[in-house]
Amino acid sequence: MSLVDLIARADERGLAASGLACLDRCVPLLGGDDAILRPLWGNLTEASDAADWGGILDQIRAKLGEGDGEDDGGDEAVLLARRMLAGAPAERTAAQVRLWADACSVASLQIHRLLDPADDPSTLDDRREGRTQDMPPLAAAELRRQVTVLEVVAGHGAGGLRRALEVSVEGRRVLRAVVSRRARGRK
């Protein structure tokens, strides 16, 4: 099943986890620490109250700073990550998180394409619809992570959140290394 199909079939928890996982993997671009989004992950559990999502999100935005793009030096990857954070819905409803999850999927794949030294001859739409032949490795790994998060949460509900978080942590480490290497190359 393609990423587009998985997003179309996902429930509210799966969609929120998908968008959150994309944002989580891109936190190194925002200067956040590894635990900055943990409260939002915690809000996806069975024992949580979806009504708390907006307040938690506001606290995280305050910690990461909204950014106006000027202090990002025009870095497109950072701007895309900031848009993911800014676009997170204040209410965790299926309709709102569906739009956000889809936008985060596109933004995160684009970020990984921007940071991958190999060119990608195909469009993001082609990649998200499952045409992955000759896909650059960094973006291909991000696509696999997005699919895994959606499949795990769809198959295990709240019980799949731990695995979804593990997938995000792995991706965040990879992106942190890429961002660090890129920063050293600019000096």
Side-chain angles (χ1 to χ4, degrees), residues 30-59:
L30 301 175
D33 65 40
D34 289 347
I36 190 83
L37 298 179
R38 286 290 174 116
L40 284 176
W41 281 103
N43 186 253
L44 298 180
T45 64
E46 292 287 346
S48 68
D49 183 354
D52 295 338
W53 172 271
I56 296 167
L57 184 58
D58 288 343
Q59 292 171 8

Side-chain angles (χ1 to χ4, degrees), residues 102-119:
D102 193 56
C104 286
S105 169
V106 170
S108 187
L109 281 170
Q110 182 61 22
I111 286 167
H112 284 77
R113 283 171 56 143
L114 288 167
L115 299 176
D116 199 319
D119 286 331

Side-chain angles (χ1 to χ4, degrees), residues 83-155:
R83 284 187 197 135
M84 277 195 276
L85 178 60
E91 293 181 21
R92 200 185 85 198
T93 63
Q96 291 188 17
V97 292
R98 183 173 309 283
L99 294 172
W100 181 59
D102 193 56
C104 286
S105 169
V106 170
S108 187
L109 281 170
Q110 182 61 22
I111 286 167
H112 284 77
R113 283 171 56 143
L114 288 167
L115 299 176
D116 199 319
D119 286 331
D120 190 354
S122 293
T123 66
L124 282 177
D125 287 340
D126 286 342
R127 298 312 191 188
R128 294 177 74 233
E129 290 170 4
R131 293 182 285 280
T132 59
Q133 184 175 353
D134 299 323
M135 193 170 182
L138 190 63
E142 172 58 14
L143 180 67
R144 281 191 304 275
R145 287 183 189 100
Q146 288 187 28
V147 167
T148 300
V149 166
L150 285 161
E151 288 175 342
V152 160
V153 177

